[in-house]
Amino acid sequence: MQKFSEFKYTRPDCAALTAQYVEMKKQAENAKSADELCELLKKSDELDAEFYSDYSIASIRNSIDTRDEFYNDEVEYLMENSPATSEAQSDFMRAVLASPYCAEVEKRFPKVMFTNARMAVKTSSPETVELSAKESALVHEYQKLCASAKIDFMGETLTVAQLGPHKIHPDRAHRRAAFCAEGEFYMSHADELNRIFDDLVKVRAEMAHKLGYKNFTELGYLRLTRNCYDEKMVEVFRSEVKKYIVPLVAELKKKQAQRIGVDSLKFYDDGVTFKDGNPKPIGSYDDTRAAGVNLYKNMKPITAEYIDFMDKCDLFSLIATEGKAPGGYCTSIPRYKAPFIFSNFNGTAGDVEVFTHEGGHAFADYVAERAGYPLSVQGPTMESCECHSMSMEFLAWPWLESFYGERTKEAKLAHLQNSLFFIPYGCMVDEFQHIVYNNPELTPEQRHEEWLKLEAEYRPYLDMDNLPFYSDGHGWQRQLHIYHNPFYYIDYCLAQSVSLEIFALSQKDWEDAWTHYYAFLEKAGTLTFVELLEQAGLSNPFKPGSLEKICQTVREYAENYDK
Ligand code: ZN
């Protein structure tokens, strides 16, 4: 088994690949049978897997060290040239979909593959290729700016990720100072942050208009392949959140304030669940890694097989270092059937989530890569991917002791509450983006005002206490997704509600919860989100009332905890 460091990277020849797709488009137009068309689809799948593998390797190595010039150049080359290649591929798909043999071919693949393909070809045209490259460059600029952060704090120079533990420090003045230091960094780049986002909104609006949509929101939904729910359904979900979850969170936040001994909860208290600080992994980084590996070794035979592969191939980059891109993610390299987990360990519960959350994504990738599905349906849409990871966080509960030791009970409460608390925040991010893209003429200042209004609606219990950056409504600018991946946030909220149902099931019977979970995961991307839920016997979060049950379970758990 090869290790990640031995994985071979070759710069994809984008021009040659583009030419190949142009040729395949002609062949699709002239195909004389369903078999011929099918062969072309398989060929496209292989080309895509190869291209995606190299793209993945370059991106991973670039994010591990953003100062490395070789991979920086490679990523720049790929970002500049890949839009033309994907456009040629889309053009090929258009020819496949228009072929008289398409209906025959469709029967041989999962139905959703063609539903998705029909949506995908509507998201671009040769006229938007240049705009798409411009969009990627702006996102890259934002990421570089955040990664460049050198924040002076209490005699140290820290990255945003390294500042994380200070923001939940048991000493209130300490964590307030950390929030101030972070806020000041962002405010010192306010003009750039505003300009990058304003350009992004304009580029996205122009793209939507060129493709004939009334605004970017429509295009944004298509780009995320929302194949089983629309804007209206999302609005219903958000109003259910306002109705059931916001009041429960306010209730639980009062208890949190009592528990940590403050009379009113300030913005910088929000992440502190316990007076003597939040439970942290008890061991070294190596111990956390070992506990993460053991978790999967002991869960199920299939998870043991998966983690063994990850461990032997060294498919992790875990520790925060200078030059490393912020955040955490899981991606995969199809050529090696290899998931990859990237993170910035910082000594908090976040390190455990790398295993329980990103580990859940990686597990789903591992299973799908071995099921023999075509590449385009190996992964479902993103809210379903988040179900894999967020539910795994709860399925991991029986093994949390090896991470948290004596504070496991507290760690569980913090995890459960934070999962619930996240939903209003996520909905706020979602509603904000609807406002922004439905009203592209808003000025940066007006956007900040809109954000503040949403704060009052979704997190009325939070006092900003004149913090720089946050109290002026700029807080959304530290949310990578808003820049990087518009409308990709409600996905987390939907998935979180599914994961809370898995939690409720596991409280009664872990094996039963696992059965529902695996039924959902095993189908990979061969069904839509709503279909995946149905066949796995899980609730549909768009149905009014489904959140009420979840709130009930969380409330009971919290009440029992305090008894
Ligand atoms: Zn995730």
Side-chain angles (χ1 to χ4, degrees):
M1 256 185 256
Q2 271 175 297
K3 284 189 185 303
F4 174 71
S5 57
E6 297 155 2
F7 286 8
K8 199 169 167 273
Y9 170 76
T10 317
R11 177 187 276 208
D13 186 341
C14 290
L17 206 53
T18 304
Q20 203 165 349
Y21 276 120
V22 171
E23 183 53 37
M24 283 163 64
K25 181 197 168 189
K26 282 185 209 145
Q27 290 167 351
E29 284 166 347
N30 299 323
K32 295 282 177 293
S33 70
D35 284 348
E36 237 179 273
L37 202 61
C38 215
E39 279 314 304
L40 286 167
L41 270 177
K42 281 184 188 148
K43 177 83 200 151
S44 161
D45 209 57
E46 280 162 26
L47 290 174
D48 203 24
E50 273 307 296
F51 177 75
Y52 184 64
S53 296
D54 284 312
Y55 205 136
S56 233
I57 295 171
S59 306
I60 294 167
R61 291 184 180 155
N62 176 238
S63 55
I64 289 173
D65 188 355
T66 54
R67 300 165 305 178
D68 181 320
E69 278 179 26
F70 178 79
Y71 284 108
N72 212 14
D73 289 348
E74 291 306 298
V75 168
E76 265 168 30
Y77 162 83
L78 288 165
M79 281 198 307
E80 222 176 281
N81 294 283
S82 64
T85 307
S86 17
E87 190 41 42
Q89 193 197 16
S90 293
D91 236 18
F92 157 72
M93 267 319 284
R94 284 184 194 105
V96 171
L97 294 169
S99 164
Y101 299 101
C102 185
E104 176 65 33
V105 171
E106 267 191 73
K107 292 180 197 148
R108 304 180 192 180
F109 293 94
K111 184 171 178 279
V112 73
M113 189 171 136
F114 284 82
T115 310
N116 292 354
R118 288 197 176 86
M119 294 179 90
V121 298
K122 289 186 200 156
T123 62
S124 65
S125 83
E127 274 177 71
T128 58
V129 171
E130 220 171 280
L131 290 167
S132 174
K134 219 161 143 185
E135 184 187 15
S136 300
L138 285 164
V139 170
H140 196 53
E141 196 183 345
Y142 170 79
Q143 282 172 312
K144 262 175 122 170
L145 183 109
C146 297
S148 76
K150 287 192 173 71
I151 302 170
D152 290 324
F153 186 72
M154 300 194 163
E156 279 182 287
T157 304
L158 306 174
T159 64
V160 173
Q162 288 165 334
L163 199 62
H166 297 284
K167 287 164 67 185
I168 51 169
H169 196 277
D171 179 61
R172 204 180 196 194
H174 186 119
R175 57 181 185 260
R176 189 183 194 284
F179 269 96
C180 287
E182 187 203 39
E184 276 154 16
F185 162 75
Y186 283 109
M187 284 312 274
S188 70
H189 294 282
D191 290 344
E192 270 167 287
L193 290 164
N194 285 338
R195 195 256 313 149
I196 294 172
F197 191 68
D198 207 51
D199 286 352
L200 276 170
V201 172
K202 284 184 186 129
V203 166
R204 286 168 181 157
E206 200 183 333
M207 235 186 259
H209 290 145
K210 282 220 158 117
L211 291 166
Y213 302 109
K214 76 169 187 291
N215 55 37
F216 177 74
T217 308
E218 276 184 45
L219 177 57
Y221 271 58
L222 282 171
R223 293 213 305 197
L224 290 172
T225 330
R226 304 263 192 247
N227 53 21
C228 61
Y229 57 94
D230 57 20
E231 240 182 292
K232 279 267 169 303
M233 289 164 80
V234 171
E235 215 179 301
V236 170
F237 176 77
R238 287 199 312 258
S239 64
E240 291 281 297
V241 168
K242 287 180 198 171
K243 187 171 163 190
Y244 295 108
I245 298 189
V246 172
L248 174 59
V249 172
E251 231 174 86
L252 295 171
K253 284 289 172 185
K254 268 190 202 146
K255 282 193 188 165
Q256 182 182 337
Q258 283 167 5
R259 202 181 299 120
I260 66 173
V262 299
D263 37 307
S264 83
L265 209 70
K266 308 282 188 205
F267 197 76
Y268 40 86
D269 301 323
D270 190 42
V272 183
T273 315
F274 301 99
K275 194 170 185 150
D276 45 353
N278 294 357
K280 290 190 263 202
I282 47 175
S284 65
Y285 289 154
D286 285 343
D287 294 334
T288 300
R289 189 188 195 278
V293 170
N294 273 325
L295 157 73
Y296 290 104
K297 272 204 171 121
N298 297 317
M299 191 179 278
K300 281 276 170 188
I302 178 83
T303 58
E305 187 192 304
Y306 138 76
I307 205 66
D308 191 51
F309 176 78
M310 296 290 289
D311 198 24
K312 284 198 174 123
C313 299
D314 201 19
L315 296 164
F316 302 102
S317 167
L318 301 176
I319 294 166
T321 47
E322 214 192 310
K324 194 166 174 177
Y329 63 79
C330 167
T331 185
S332 67
I333 308 150
R335 189 190 301 144
Y336 298 92
K337 294 191 177 173
F340 189 92
I341 293 177
F342 174 93
S343 85
N344 282 277
F345 267 12
N346 60 9
T348 68
D351 300 356
V352 178
E353 282 153 29
V354 169
F355 281 96
T356 58
H357 181 100
E358 302 305 337
H361 284 306
F363 173 58
D365 285 351
Y366 178 86
V367 172
E369 277 161 347
R370 280 150 188 82
Y373 300 128
L375 186 69
S376 63
V377 288
Q378 273 181 23
T381 38
M382 293 202 276
E383 74 296 290
S384 306
C385 292
E386 291 310 317
C387 293
H388 301 155
S389 53
M390 289 173 157
S391 305
M392 183 59 96
E393 290 179 40
F394 286 110
L395 290 168
W397 271 28
W399 293 273
L400 286 190
E401 207 157 324
S402 53
F403 294 102
Y404 293 112
E406 284 174 356
R407 298 196 67 194
T408 304
K409 196 183 160 212
E410 289 161 273
K412 286 179 180 173
L413 180 75
H415 171 217
L416 178 64
Q417 293 201 146
N418 291 337
S419 302
L420 186 83
F421 299 165
F422 171 78
I423 298 177
Y425 173 70
C427 286
M428 173 163 89
V429 169
D430 182 65
E431 191 168 338
F432 177 70
Q433 297 184 85
H434 282 85
I435 294 169
V436 164
Y437 292 110
N438 291 347
N439 306 280
E441 71 290 347
L442 293 184
T443 63
E445 215 31 67
Q446 286 170 319
R447 288 185 197 120
H448 301 322
E449 282 164 22
E450 291 297 332
W451 180 257
L452 278 184
K453 278 189 233 163
L454 292 170
E455 282 278 11
E457 236 183 302
Y458 283 102
R459 302 199 291 185
Y461 54 86
L462 267 190
D463 174 355
M464 304 276 180
D465 195 28
N466 293 319
L467 285 176
F469 182 64
Y470 291 100
S471 56
D472 299 323
H474 293 235
W476 59 272
Q477 294 190 319
R478 55 165 291 287
Q479 192 62 60
L480 169 77
H481 304 71
I482 294 180
Y483 283 78
H484 189 139
N485 208 333
F487 296 110
Y488 174 35
Y489 221 66
I490 199 67
D491 302 66
Y492 290 111
C493 305
L494 295 167
Q496 194 69 272
S497 54
V498 173
S499 80
L500 286 167
E501 187 179 11
I502 293 284
F503 161 74
L505 292 168
S506 72
Q507 286 295 99
K508 287 185 204 129
D509 178 356
W510 189 94
E511 284 295 334
D512 180 50
W514 171 267
T515 305
H516 288 280
Y517 173 76
Y518 197 72
F520 183 102
L521 179 143
E522 197 182 24
K523 291 280 184 279
T526 61
L527 297 170
T528 69
F529 171 54
V530 171
E531 288 167 347
L532 285 169
L533 290 170
E534 270 167 14
Q535 58 88 38
L538 294 164
S539 313
N540 176 345
F542 298 111
K543 279 211 179 112
S546 68
L547 296 181
E548 197 179 3
K549 280 188 275 172
I550 290 164
C551 288
Q552 194 51 33
T553 314
V554 178
R555 185 178 275 117
E556 273 166 26
Y557 189 92
E559 278 167 5
N560 283 333
Y561 182 91
D562 282 324
K563 264 179 202 157

